[in-house]
Amino acid sequence: MTEQKHSINWVTFLLAWVAGYCDTATFVSGDSIFSAHVTGNFIVFAAQVSSGSTSATAWIKLITFPVFVIAVMAGGWLVEKSPKKYRILLIEGIILTFCGLAAFLLPILTTWEEKLVTYLIVMITVLGMGLQNAFGKLFSKETHGPTTMMTGNVTQAALDLGNIIRKGIPGNEISLSSLYKQLVTIGGFLAGCIIGALLSRWVGLSAMMIPGVAIMACYLQGETAAQKSEG
């Protein structure tokens, strides 16, 4: 039981870290586009349009929504066809690693405009985040909760903290346990945001290679744990 709890903590923290990292990296170096919390792009789009911007850079933010929907649908199909539940994370890791490599190599190997390369990398990153969202919904018991959107987690943490303050710590183990789980998720996301912002500002979207490798490590860990439980 302790080993299983440690595994869930690890998977939750890592996935939240990757989501925070990717969301911030594409916002900082990808023309202010969110890749994990794509509905946030509606706000950015509306703000740009209200300020008088009618350029493609504003409207392209809306493309993230159908791309995200397609990715989630593809994730559902992949889980249905694959006997290994963590396979969807392997595909996500490959996608993010490819994003990082493409962001580094395309400006060197092609004459594509910088904006075109940026939007291509961002949209592919959205595909990866769509797969992670699908994983969270289809395998909800593998994590402590949603790893890409923190509003619900912060709300639950606030409710748990309120219960602890009102009723005290003794006899309030459920709220304490729930608060700990939310802090693992929120802490992972915040750490990812900070590191993603710093690295993407330093090396641009080629920084996507790091979460790609991290997700593949998560896949290997998950498959190893699954094999042990079956054995």
Side-chain angles (χ1 to χ4, degrees):
M1 182 65 72
T2 303
E3 184 177 350
Q4 183 182 8
K5 183 177 179 181
H6 173 76
S7 175
I8 294 176
N9 286 341
W10 156 250
V11 172
T12 300
F13 183 89
L14 182 60
L15 290 181
W17 182 89
V18 168
Y21 185 112
C22 292
D23 220 19
T24 308
T26 55
F27 190 85
V28 171
S29 297
D31 197 27
S32 301
I33 299 177
F34 293 107
S35 55
H37 190 197
V38 293
T39 51
N41 294 320
F42 293 168
I43 299 171
V44 179
F45 165 76
Q48 290 182 333
V49 171
S50 68
S51 65
S53 175
T54 57
S55 64
T57 57
W59 286 93
I60 201 168
K61 291 175 175 59
L62 293 184
I63 299 177
T64 59
F65 188 72
V67 170
F68 182 85
V69 170
I70 291 171
V72 173
M73 293 169 61
W77 173 84
L78 180 64
V79 169
E80 187 177 292
K81 295 296 181 180
S82 175
K84 296 184 177 181
K85 61 185 178 182
Y86 273 78
R87 182 66 56 83
I88 190 172
L89 294 183
L90 174 62
I91 302 302
E92 179 189 350
I94 292 172
I95 287 174
L96 295 180
T97 303
F98 171 80
C99 284
L101 289 172
F104 178 75
L105 294 175
L106 284 179
I108 299 174
L109 301 178
T110 69
T111 56
W112 294 357
E113 293 184 5
E114 183 180 351
K115 282 286 185 182
L116 178 60
V117 173
T118 296
Y119 291 143
L120 175 64
I121 301 305
V122 169
M123 292 304 165
I124 298 175
T125 303
V126 171
L127 284 174
M129 290 295 98
L131 293 179
Q132 182 167 320
N133 274 273
F135 175 85
K137 282 293 184 181
L138 295 171
F139 303 111
S140 57
K141 293 183 179 180
E142 298 296 317
T143 64
H144 292 319
T147 58
T148 57
M149 295 172 285
M150 293 297 111
T151 305
N153 295 320
V154 172
T155 301
Q156 185 59 55
L159 289 172
D160 294 330
L161 182 59
N163 284 334
I164 294 170
I165 292 174
R166 291 194 307 272
K167 301 176 183 178
I169 294 178
N172 210 358
E173 287 78 12
I174 294 178
S175 292
L176 280 171
S177 176
S178 178
L179 178 61
Y180 171 76
K181 292 174 182 178
Q182 304 314 316
L183 291 179
V184 169
T185 311
I186 297 168
F189 191 86
L190 177 60
C193 289
I194 295 171
I195 297 174
L198 293 173
L199 290 182
S200 63
R201 195 172 293 279
W202 181 35
V203 298
L205 291 175
S206 59
M208 286 298 177
M209 283 186 281
I210 295 175
V213 172
I215 283 289
M216 286 191 281
C218 184
Y219 164 77
L220 293 174
Q221 188 273 340
E223 286 302 317
T224 300
Q227 290 174 3
K228 286 183 178 179
S229 63
E230 291 173 3

